[in-house]
Amino acid sequence: MLQTKESRGTSPAIVIILLPMLLLLLIILVSLKSQVTLMFKNSMLQSFTTIFLSIILEAIPFIIIGVFISSLIQEFISEETIARIIPKNKIVGIFIAGIVGIVFPVCDCAIIPIVRRLLKKGMPLYIGVTFMLSVPIINPVVLVSTYYAFLNSPHMVLMRGGIGAISAMTIGFIVSKFKTEEDAKTRTRTKTVRKVAGQWIYTLNQSNNKLQSHIYSHSHLTEEHHHHDDDHCSCGHDHHHEKNATITGTIVEILEHTSAELKDVGKFVIAGAFLSSVMQVVLPRKYMLTIGHNRVTSILVMIALAFLLSVCSETDAFIARTFVGQFTNGSIIAFLIFGPMIDIKNTLMLSQTFKAKFIIKLISLIFMVCFTIGIVVNFIGVQL
């Protein structure tokens, strides 16, 4: 039996995420008084607006694709189908989830709604996490964009895709060792139960109305007339019309589900874009660049940038390319792996799917894996 909790008031995950960021922002504002003054000048406001709109316009099309695919999964793929196609062997399941993204052109903006739906359909948590982390890195669009961003270093495509897939599989395997999945299951299951209960009540009310109508029809119609039309059942409902309306009803359900899913996810994308824009405008980039050549701090800075910038995985390679020569190669690889896996907007989107405790565990795992990758690349001395 899955544990659920009431979704009243502010989400704990949102509080955990926002409070440290707000504290950091406050410290920055106090220490950089001149920057606070500039905040109200047109140039800074213009930068904020440009960054904010670019993130929104970049993310929304892919999110719409993601929630639409989620709606198709909800409508056409049953729990039995999910259970049948998932490998029984854990290692095989994680491996397949880690490489299937190479034929699945979905970026990090769209993958979370899809994974949320698959988890609700019964996909094991560790496979869902592996799939969610690997697809934004190894999908064909991302690999092609990485190739064009690093034309002089085509091996970057293999490095990013290979390291990304292995990292996702590693994290998925660790997640499979968690004691219980209840720690990670969505709070929205409470909402789902309420929604289903509401549907049951509605159905019962409708059934009651139909029963009253049925009794009424029996009191006014003879038995011979009641069974005369083969297109009507004993309750008087026109099933021929219902068959004709099936396709229309399915389309309406898909669109309604897409709309509801977009509403749930969209608000967190907007919040994430806002926070990312503020951070990019306020944080002094020149100070971060001064520590770019340190083998350890450069990785930390680039991971932080990947989290704060919230750039779509299909375009982040071009941003990473601008840091070549200013930051260590290990830090750039860490940026290209960490960013597609988790950033501000995706963290807020995950708060609709997972509990705060699991989100913290997942972010910590991603950070440790990506930081280790950066250290290893710097130690080996891989050239980009």
Side-chain angles (χ1 to χ4, degrees), residues 162-221:
I163 295 174
I166 293 172
S167 301
M169 294 178 197
T170 302
I171 295 170
F173 181 76
I174 296 173
V175 169
S176 72
K177 298 298 182 181
F178 287 175
K179 291 183 179 180
T180 59
E181 292 193 358
E182 285 82 353
D183 289 337
K185 286 304 180 182
T186 165
R187 297 187 321 276
T188 57
R189 288 195 179 273
T190 302
K191 296 180 181 180
T192 303
V193 170
R194 288 176 178 173
K195 183 177 180 180
V196 171
Q199 290 174 344
W200 285 347
I201 293 172
Y202 175 81
T203 302
L204 289 173
N205 289 336
Q206 292 295 328
S207 299
N208 184 50
N209 293 337
K210 289 180 180 179
L211 179 60
Q212 292 176 356
S213 175
H214 175 72
I215 295 173
Y216 180 81
S217 66
H218 270 281
S219 65
H220 288 79
L221 300 174

Side-chain angles (χ1 to χ4, degrees), residues 365-378:
L365 277 175
I366 296 172
F367 170 79
M368 287 187 289
V369 169
C370 292
F371 181 78
T372 302
I373 289 170
I375 291 291
V376 171
V377 171
N378 281 340

Side-chain angles (χ1 to χ4, degrees), residues 241-252:
H241 173 74
E242 185 180 50
K243 290 179 181 177
N244 290 336
T246 300
I247 297 177
T248 303
T250 301
I251 294 174
V252 170

Side-chain angles (χ1 to χ4, degrees), residues 61-322:
F62 297 104
I63 291 172
I64 292 175
I65 293 173
V67 297
F68 181 71
I69 295 174
S70 170
S71 301
L72 295 179
I73 292 172
Q74 168 67 17
E75 189 66 27
F76 297 111
I77 300 180
S78 65
E79 289 83 350
E80 292 76 14
T81 302
I82 295 291
R84 187 168 61 251
I85 63 177
I86 290 176
K88 302 300 180 183
N89 185 283
K90 181 188 297 184
I91 302 299
V92 174
I94 291 174
F95 177 78
I96 292 176
I99 64 173
V100 73
I102 203 165
V103 292
F104 206 83
V106 174
C107 71
D108 60 319
C109 306
I111 193 63
I112 293 178
I114 296 173
V115 170
R116 179 167 73 171
R117 182 56 50 195
L118 290 172
L119 290 175
K120 288 182 178 180
K121 287 286 184 177
M123 175 177 279
L125 177 64
Y126 60 90
I127 291 182
V129 169
T130 305
F131 181 70
M132 179 180 70
L133 299 181
S134 67
V135 169
I137 299 176
I138 68 170
N139 83 67
V141 179
V142 170
L143 295 181
V144 170
S145 69
T146 303
Y147 173 79
Y148 281 104
F150 294 88
L151 279 174
N152 296 326
S153 306
H155 61 277
M156 274 295 296
V157 177
L158 296 177
M159 286 183 60
R160 187 183 193 186
I163 295 174
I166 293 172
S167 301
M169 294 178 197
T170 302
I171 295 170
F173 181 76
I174 296 173
V175 169
S176 72
K177 298 298 182 181
F178 287 175
K179 291 183 179 180
T180 59
E181 292 193 358
E182 285 82 353
D183 289 337
K185 286 304 180 182
T186 165
R187 297 187 321 276
T188 57
R189 288 195 179 273
T190 302
K191 296 180 181 180
T192 303
V193 170
R194 288 176 178 173
K195 183 177 180 180
V196 171
Q199 290 174 344
W200 285 347
I201 293 172
Y202 175 81
T203 302
L204 289 173
N205 289 336
Q206 292 295 328
S207 299
N208 184 50
N209 293 337
K210 289 180 180 179
L211 179 60
Q212 292 176 356
S213 175
H214 175 72
I215 295 173
Y216 180 81
S217 66
H218 270 281
S219 65
H220 288 79
L221 300 174
T222 63
E223 182 175 349
E224 180 181 3
H225 177 72
H226 183 68
H227 291 283
H228 178 70
D229 191 351
D230 291 337
D231 288 336
H232 291 73
C233 73
S234 58
C235 66
H237 185 71
D238 187 353
H239 288 285
H240 180 69
H241 173 74
E242 185 180 50
K243 290 179 181 177
N244 290 336
T246 300
I247 297 177
T248 303
T250 301
I251 294 174
V252 170
E253 286 183 9
I254 291 173
L255 293 177
E256 287 181 347
H257 185 272
T258 300
S259 176
E261 193 91 358
L262 185 61
K263 179 182 177 183
D264 286 341
V265 174
K267 57 189 176 184
F268 293 101
V269 175
I270 293 172
F274 177 82
L275 288 174
S276 176
S277 303
V278 170
M279 291 294 182
Q280 291 186 59
V281 170
V282 173
L283 287 176
R285 184 176 177 180
K286 63 179 181 180
Y287 296 138
M288 291 188 290
L289 293 177
T290 59
I291 56 176
H293 293 286
N294 184 284
R295 289 190 174 188
V296 177
T297 57
S298 63
I299 299 173
L300 295 175
V301 170
M302 287 299 284
I303 287 178
L305 281 176
F307 186 80
L308 296 174
L309 293 179
S310 300
V311 181
C312 179
S313 63
E314 296 179 350
T315 58
D316 63 351
F318 295 98
I319 294 177
R321 183 69 182 85
T322 64

